[in-house]
Amino acid sequence: VDQWEARITSAVGRWPAREGDSKWFRPPQGLMSVEMAAVLEERGYLTSLPDIYSADCDIVDPVFHARVMANAPCDGSVLLVHAPDAYTWGPQTIQ
């Protein structure tokens, strides 16, 4: 966690960005060990899991992903979109 926080801080300058902001963590593939949960809780992180996900790393169809992201969310939804440069169709999805 120390290394991860150092990488975030070097990229954004301050973590969390504003005083009073929460620190959120999304466990990879929604899985987290008891030990990792304890470390994150000790450091003040809250866990977030998305309710909208279009398998954007697996399905090569930017129009499909854009439709899911435009039409599936409702108030309070948490969307999961991977970094656009992680796959070749990512920028088209975001546009």
Side-chain angles (χ1 to χ4, degrees):
V1 176
D2 287 331
Q3 292 174 344
W4 182 82
E5 284 183 333
R7 288 177 56 199
I8 292 295
T9 302
S10 71
V12 298
R14 179 182 165 158
W15 184 251
R18 295 179 300 207
E19 190 66 38
D21 281 357
S22 298
K23 297 191 295 184
W24 294 92
F25 178 79
R26 181 190 66 87
Q29 300 177 354
L31 304 173
M32 183 168 35
S33 69
V34 173
E35 294 83 2
M36 185 59 147
V39 167
L40 292 167
E41 182 178 1
E42 177 182 301
R43 293 177 179 242
Y45 282 86
L46 302 171
T47 301
S48 175
L49 294 173
D51 63 324
I52 308 296
Y53 173 66
S54 64
D56 56 345
C57 289
D58 301 316
I59 299 172
V60 184
D61 187 346
V63 172
F64 167 77
H65 300 300
R67 285 186 181 143
V68 169
M69 295 300 155
N71 298 309
C74 60
D75 289 349
S77 284
V78 176
L79 286 65
L80 173 59
V81 181
H82 290 89
D85 58 351
Y87 45 92
T88 57
W89 56 95
Q92 293 171 308
T93 300
I94 300 302
Q95 291 173 351

